[in-house]
Amino acid sequence: PQEGRAGTEGEGSVADGGSLMGECTNYGAPGSRSSRTVVLTLGVGLEAEVWQALQHNRRVYAQRHNYTLCLVERLLDRTRSPSWNKVAALLALLQQGPRRVHLGAQVDGDVMLRNMELSLEAVALHAAQESACALGPQGWQLLLSTDYDHDDAAQPHASVGSSSFNAGNFLLRNG
């Protein structure tokens, strides 16, 4: 794998995608479609043991699918909350262009990936086919996960129609 490490950005600044790519590990053949899929997790504020477990979890998944993995341990913009830093980080990576980053996935720091066989492309295809939302002329560009009504655990999907969006996990397609 190709690995790198970039320095810490200054107060209030946002890293450009090039410097952020320096913090990523590419597990695929350079330029291949799978290596242009980026999995991003921000580990700001996580306990060391949790962060280590998440790093292992993400590495296994990225290696299985030949993805590029970005594990970021810092805020890119100290003037914004960590939630908005996830958006800024993924947008910075996508600004590298579709030849460099085709699909970006933000996976929150409190999520453990369990089905290592399920690719992000399969998730996106299923979600786009099942979605009731309108798609643009190029198909989907953004897929957001939803929260469900935790009070009705027997029917967790019953409230999806009235569910709020969950900004912890999302996919962005470039181009």
Side-chain angles (χ1 to χ4, degrees), residues 87-106:
V87 174
L90 200 50
L91 288 175
L93 291 167
L94 290 172
Q95 287 174 351
Q96 294 295 294
R99 289 180 154 314
R100 186 86 186 262
V101 178
H102 168 71
L103 180 65
Q106 156 54 40

Side-chain angles (χ1 to χ4, degrees), residues 19-42:
S19 70
L20 196 54
M21 284 299 274
E23 295 182 55
C24 302
T25 303
N26 181 356
Y27 291 105
S32 69
R33 189 170 183 92
S34 62
S35 74
R36 292 184 295 132
T37 296
V38 174
V39 177
L40 168 72
T41 296
L42 264 65

Side-chain angles (χ1 to χ4, degrees), residues 105-116:
Q106 156 54 40
V107 183
D108 226 354
D110 62 355
V111 172
M112 292 297 272
L113 301 171
R114 295 182 55 196
N115 184 346
M116 296 294 173

Side-chain angles (χ1 to χ4, degrees), residues 15-173:
D16 65 61
S19 70
L20 196 54
M21 284 299 274
E23 295 182 55
C24 302
T25 303
N26 181 356
Y27 291 105
S32 69
R33 189 170 183 92
S34 62
S35 74
R36 292 184 295 132
T37 296
V38 174
V39 177
L40 168 72
T41 296
L42 264 65
V44 176
L46 296 176
E47 293 182 25
E49 307 83 44
V50 172
W51 184 234
Q52 287 177 349
L54 282 172
Q55 288 178 60
H56 175 74
N57 178 260
R58 300 301 189 269
R59 249 184 235 110
V60 168
Y61 186 75
Q63 287 173 341
R64 160 115 29 229
H65 297 285
N66 300 313
Y67 293 153
T68 295
L69 176 62
C70 299
L71 298 169
V72 180
E73 298 180 70
R74 62 188 172 86
L75 292 176
L76 302 175
D77 183 345
R78 295 181 192 280
T79 66
R80 295 180 184 225
S81 72
S83 285
W84 286 108
N85 271 264
K86 294 182 282 191
V87 174
L90 200 50
L91 288 175
L93 291 167
L94 290 172
Q95 287 174 351
Q96 294 295 294
R99 289 180 154 314
R100 186 86 186 262
V101 178
H102 168 71
L103 180 65
Q106 156 54 40
V107 183
D108 226 354
D110 62 355
V111 172
M112 292 297 272
L113 301 171
R114 295 182 55 196
N115 184 346
M116 296 294 173
E117 301 302 318
L118 188 60
S119 72
L120 292 171
E121 294 82 4
V123 169
L125 180 62
H126 175 76
Q129 290 172 343
E130 296 294 318
S131 176
C133 67
L135 300 176
Q138 302 295 319
W140 70 272
Q141 295 296 126
L142 169 67
L143 292 175
L144 296 166
S145 58
T146 59
D147 285 325
Y148 63 90
D149 185 355
H150 296 282
D151 294 335
D152 190 0
Q155 296 182 7
H157 301 291
S159 65
V160 168
S162 62
S163 174
S164 61
F165 290 113
N166 178 321
N169 303 292
F170 54 90
L171 295 172
L172 280 171
R173 190 179 73 189

